[in-house]
Amino acid sequence: METELARRLGLRDSVVIGLGSMIGAGVFAALAPAAGAAGPWLPVALAVAAVVAYCNAVSSARLAARYPVSGGTYVYGRERLGAFWGYLAGWGFVVGKSASCAAMALTVGSYAWPAHAHEVAVVAVVAVTATNYVGVQKSALATRVIVAVVLAVLGAVVVAGFAGSHAGATGLGAPVGVYGVLQGAGLLFFAFAGYARIATLGEEVRAPEQTIPRAILLALGIALVVYALVAAAALLTLGAGGLAGAPDPLVRVVEAAGAAWLAPVVRVGAVLAAAGSLLALVLGVSRTTLAMARDRHLPGALAAIHPRFQVPHRAELAVGAVVAVVAATVDLRGAIGFSSFAVLVYYLVANVSAGTLTRAEGAPARWIPILGAVGCAVVACSLPLGSVLGGLVVLGLGAAWYGVRRRER
């Protein structure tokens, strides 16, 4: 039975997979709840999220170059800090990104057929799982087409927002403090976390020592520019109050700006963006599941590689089944908060791991992992209380399972 993946992805495909994970999530799902927390200070929250994401990206890039295999921070934590910390990072990633996958599937449903959002979400998960099953190159090709279309749609939204009417902009109606800005940053971090997909595909990237760091930083930089433009156009057109209360904020932007004819185009773009994010997210979760199965933290059968398609097919089917169940039952905004908390814990482990690298191993500047770790901890604790408590419970259950398995061995 084969257990090694083929290196088929270059720089362009790696950047596109990272963008596919970020663009849909941030613009069509996280912008509205972040505006509800940060109000008119949304650009500041975006900047805070971007700084934390940059530190995480640099730390992840240096670690990925050092350990170019599937698994991401699960591998980095295991190698640098010990088996438990690697396991905790992997567990946080799998459960957090499973929630992200459900959020993206629900975004597809909310824009495509609001009255049957959950049913459409399940269908979307099945379609994406089937696409990933037949090979990572086909997934990268599909993501490339989706990203191109979505960027064109977002460009139209930005132009309409800046050039149209701003008479309907409304305020949030309540003062916003530092806590609100940090909570907004935590919710927006959900949108930036897509660059991790590149690191988790480390075993399928050509020349990973050079390709992975460049791809991560390129994808993050492009996403930041897009987010900043769209957020500015949305605030200018709707105001913080209008943006916070919108279930479909970018549709509301073009309608309020006087370009209602663009609304159907934006809806199609939202569906494609969320589908692209879902495509890349399921890809990353399945690779971390593969790595954990190889180490027997998850059932060993999930480590199998398909002899024809060269993908971890059992892991992908298992992830798809879990995400489909979650998408059929959860609330979109709750999924975003829970996902952000779990993934911030994942990157906390990544930054601490990067802090142990030596100069000869390609260590980043010392301040980067320190600021990244502190930022992850502060922003995670600033998320809504329900998300924090839910995240702690699930991480605690994962830690307990690790203890049980260790005793059995």
Side-chain angles (χ1 to χ4, degrees):
M1 180 184 297
E2 288 191 77
T3 58
E4 298 295 326
L5 299 173
R7 297 192 182 276
R8 297 176 175 178
L9 300 178
L11 178 62
R12 183 174 61 179
D13 283 340
S14 299
V15 170
V16 168
I17 286 173
L19 280 176
S21 300
M22 287 186 278
I23 295 297
V27 177
F28 295 104
L31 203 59
W41 296 99
L42 181 64
V44 178
L46 180 63
V48 172
V51 169
V52 174
Y54 171 77
C55 294
N56 297 345
V58 173
S59 293
S60 297
R62 298 300 177 89
L63 288 162
R66 178 72 179 170
Y67 302 101
V69 296
S70 290
T73 301
Y74 166 69
V75 174
Y76 315 149
R78 182 191 66 198
E79 296 297 323
R80 308 302 306 192
L81 304 176
F84 172 75
W85 296 107
Y87 166 83
L88 188 66
W91 177 251
F93 181 87
V94 169
V95 298
K97 285 305 172 182
S98 293
S100 295
C101 292
M104 289 302 93
L106 285 167
T107 302
V108 173
S110 297
Y111 277 89
W113 197 356
H116 297 277
H118 289 283
E119 292 88 340
V120 175
V122 173
V123 172
V125 172
V126 172
V128 162
T129 302
T131 300
N132 282 335
Y133 191 96
V134 297
V136 68
Q137 283 186 309
K138 294 180 177 63
S139 300
L141 176 61
T143 304
R144 188 185 308 156
V145 173
I146 291 170
V147 168
V149 172
V150 171
L151 287 177
V153 171
L154 292 178
V157 172
V158 170
V159 171
F162 279 111
S165 171
H166 305 142
T170 59
L172 195 59
V176 175
V178 174
Y179 175 76
V181 172
L182 291 174
Q183 186 175 120
L187 293 167
L188 284 170
F189 183 79
F190 168 82
F192 280 108
Y195 54 78
R197 303 300 76 66
I198 303 168
T200 57
L201 295 173
E203 198 171 317
E204 294 159 272
V205 174
R206 296 192 299 269
E209 293 80 2
Q210 292 79 39
T211 300
I212 292 174
R214 291 175 61 194
I216 287 175
L217 295 180
L218 279 171
L220 179 63
I222 294 170
L224 176 58
V225 171
V226 172
Y227 287 176
L229 290 173
V230 174
L235 283 176
L236 193 63
T237 306
L238 299 178
L243 180 58
D248 48 359
L250 299 193
V251 171
R252 303 296 176 90
V253 168
V254 296
E255 290 176 342
W261 59 272
L262 271 175
V265 177
V266 175
R267 289 191 182 278
V268 172
V271 171
L272 286 173
S277 291
L278 180 61
L279 188 74
L281 285 167
V282 171
L283 201 65
V285 175
S286 65
R287 269 55 182 181
T288 300
T289 301
L290 164 69
M292 296 182 73
R294 284 172 170 171
D295 290 342
R296 304 297 179 182
H297 291 308
L298 292 174
L302 298 177
I305 306 297
H306 195 284
R308 176 183 174 189
F309 299 124
Q310 289 291 293
V311 297
H313 57 298
R314 292 177 183 171
E316 287 183 341
L317 291 174
V319 170
V322 170
V323 172
V325 171
V326 175
T329 56
V330 301
D331 168 74
L332 175 58
R333 295 193 179 198
I336 291 175
F338 174 83
S339 172
S340 293
F341 182 85
V343 176
L344 282 163
V345 171
Y346 172 88
Y347 282 112
L348 173 61
V349 175
N351 280 293
V352 175
S353 299
T356 68
L357 292 171
T358 65
R359 186 182 299 272
E361 293 173 315
R366 184 59 56 187
W367 64 269
I368 290 177
I370 293 175
L371 179 59
V374 172
C376 285
V378 171
V379 170
C381 292
S382 301
L383 285 163
L385 182 61
S387 299
V388 175
L389 293 178
L392 289 174
V393 168
V394 173
L395 289 175
L397 290 173
W401 172 250
Y402 177 88
V404 169
R405 293 286 293 171
R406 187 177 180 86
R407 287 179 184 175
E408 288 179 352
R409 292 177 185 178

